[in-house]
């Protein structure tokens, strides 16, 4: 059975802290790994990772994938209260031009206090 | 702006009364998905359309049906909503299932 496991499940930090969110996976026919941020609405896309060792960066957020060890991390530096959200790690599986089924992790609830 | 639109944003229905949720997209993506997300849980895929081909997840109850009359629109029909069907319903789209999925804002369903 395909599985995506995130840790920690929840995290409370203060503004300015740096956080690292972890995601490990065991799936058949891996295609890509995606990170989404979900506040009180639909998930919004952050990153898509397909190759090992290549860091993706967007402002204070960065992410990297290790396909040998089957994990990814999402880093957030200089956290702000607006970073408070659930962070979802999602693995896309499927072959060729298939529909790209997503397998979701449980999410990490990040709370940033002022 | 190209986007995924869901209507209504909030829907209240009665136990057993059929309800339809709608999703439209201007991204011209050929794949459309419906997810159910309950409180504090990750979204759960119900089914998806790859072009006109309907793909049901094995554990999706028969109570949930879907229609896709054209590329832009997809509907989720709940034939006899139960209290356990109260949830956020998310529509997402993707090009060929290869690129990332883009989510609509969701419809929050309340069953009384």
């Amino acid at each position: 059975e395909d599985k995506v496991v995130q840790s920690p499940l929840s995290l409370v930090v203060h503004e300015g802290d740096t956080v690292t969110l972890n995601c490990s996976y065991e799936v058949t026919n891996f295609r890509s790994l995606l990170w989404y941020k979900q506040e009180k609405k639909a998930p919004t896309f952050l990153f898509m990772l397909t190759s090992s060792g290549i860091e993706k960066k967007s402002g204070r957020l960065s992410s990297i994938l290790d396909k040998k060890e089957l994990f990814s991390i999402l880093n957030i530096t200089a956290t702000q209260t607006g970073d408070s959200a659930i962070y979802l790690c999602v693995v896309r599986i499927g072959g060729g031009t298939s529909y790209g089924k997503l397998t979701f992790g449980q999410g990490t609830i990040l709370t940033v206090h002022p | 702006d190209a986007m995924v639109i869901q209507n209504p944003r909030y829907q209240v229905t009665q136990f057993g009364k059929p309800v339809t949720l709608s999703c439209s997209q201007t991204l011209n993506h050929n794949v459309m998905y419906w997810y159910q997300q309950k409180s504090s849980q990750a979204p759960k895929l119900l089914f998806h359309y790859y072009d006109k081909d309907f793909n049901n997840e094995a554990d999706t109850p028969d109570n949930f049906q879907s229609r896709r009359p054209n590329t832009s629109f997809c509907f989720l029909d709940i034939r006899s909503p139960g209290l356990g069907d109260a949830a956020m319903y998310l529509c997402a789209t993707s090009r060929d299932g290869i690129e990332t999925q883009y989510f609509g804002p969701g419809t929050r369903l309340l069953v009384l």
Side-chain angles (χ1 to χ4, degrees), chain A residues 2 26-32 91-96 98 101:
Chain A
D2 296 324
E26 288 180 40
V27 301
T28 53
N29 208 1
F30 173 91
R31 285 307 191 196
S32 58
V91 173
R92 187 174 74 81
I93 62 174
S98 72
K101 181 176 177 178

Side-chain angles (χ1 to χ4, degrees), chain A residues 56-95:
Chain A
K56 292 267 180 111
K57 237 177 129 55
S58 175
R60 295 176 295 102
L61 278 67
S62 63
S63 185
I64 198 160
L65 173 67
D66 185 328
K67 288 167 76 174
K68 184 179 174 188
E69 300 297 328
L70 306 183
F71 78 91
S72 173
I73 59 172
L74 174 68
N75 276 323
I76 309 175
T77 58
T79 52
Q80 302 170 357
T81 54
D83 295 327
S84 297
I86 300 171
Y87 289 84
L88 294 168
C89 174
V90 188
V91 173
R92 187 174 74 81
I93 62 174

